[in-house]
Amino acid sequence: MPSPAPDTILFDGVCNLCNGFVQFVIRHDPAGRFRFAALQSDAGRALLLAHGIAPAIVAAEPESVLLLSAGKLYSHSDAVLRIAHGLGGSWRLAAVGSWLPRIWRDALYRFVARHRYRWFGRQESCMLPTPALKARFLP
């Protein structure tokens, strides 16, 4: 039986908070369950188009980490909670957050997203993965 395709995390490639989140996932995902694509990359734009999302809208002001899992696209707090669950171990406890109404979770998510550049800064261009991690990033 073939192994399932890895889930893909789409992230704002110039956001320091988002890049830190990607590094966190990499550190806690030694099995390589997740792969990554910047929303600004060709691969990221192609995945957005394939799921009926206009890349220009997302690229203009990306506010969300997106998770593509088993052909379904998750956003905002749902994406973060599913990623934490996918990391396994004690990170599965983050699922407790799903007990809160989505409207509250997403309001908190959007608040942080609106202020992330001011609080954490941004880069001039998307991060480049190290040669050891290059296989986990979509081109």
Side-chain angles (χ1 to χ4, degrees):
M1 184 160 130
S3 62
D7 291 347
T8 303
I9 297 172
L10 294 115
F11 65 101
D12 180 355
V14 298
C15 168
N16 287 337
L17 175 61
C18 303
N19 282 304
F21 179 69
V22 167
Q23 295 303 318
F24 170 85
V25 172
I26 289 169
R27 278 193 312 275
H28 293 89
D29 181 30
R33 174 161 189 237
F34 296 102
R35 61 185 181 173
F36 308 93
L39 290 165
Q40 297 89 345
S41 70
D42 290 340
R45 287 190 297 271
L47 286 170
L48 291 172
L49 278 174
H51 288 84
I53 299 172
I57 293 170
V58 175
E61 192 59 41
E63 82 160 24
S64 188
V65 167
L66 302 171
L67 173 66
L68 178 58
S69 178
K72 187 166 181 192
L73 197 61
Y74 299 92
S75 67
H76 299 86
S77 63
D78 284 342
V80 173
L81 291 172
R82 286 181 171 276
I83 292 165
H85 186 268
L87 293 175
S90 61
W91 296 110
R92 288 181 183 236
L93 293 174
V96 170
S98 65
W99 294 347
L100 293 172
R102 181 182 300 160
I103 196 164
W104 294 357
R105 291 185 278 129
D106 285 351
L108 176 61
Y109 185 101
R110 285 185 175 104
F111 177 78
V112 172
R114 261 193 320 272
H115 297 91
R116 72 188 187 282
Y117 292 147
R118 187 171 355 142
W119 294 343
F120 300 98
R122 71 186 289 166
Q123 301 172 23
E124 291 299 315
S125 61
C126 294
M127 70 177 247
L128 294 174
T130 64
L133 294 174
K134 195 167 188 151
R136 294 191 59 190
F137 284 78
L138 299 178

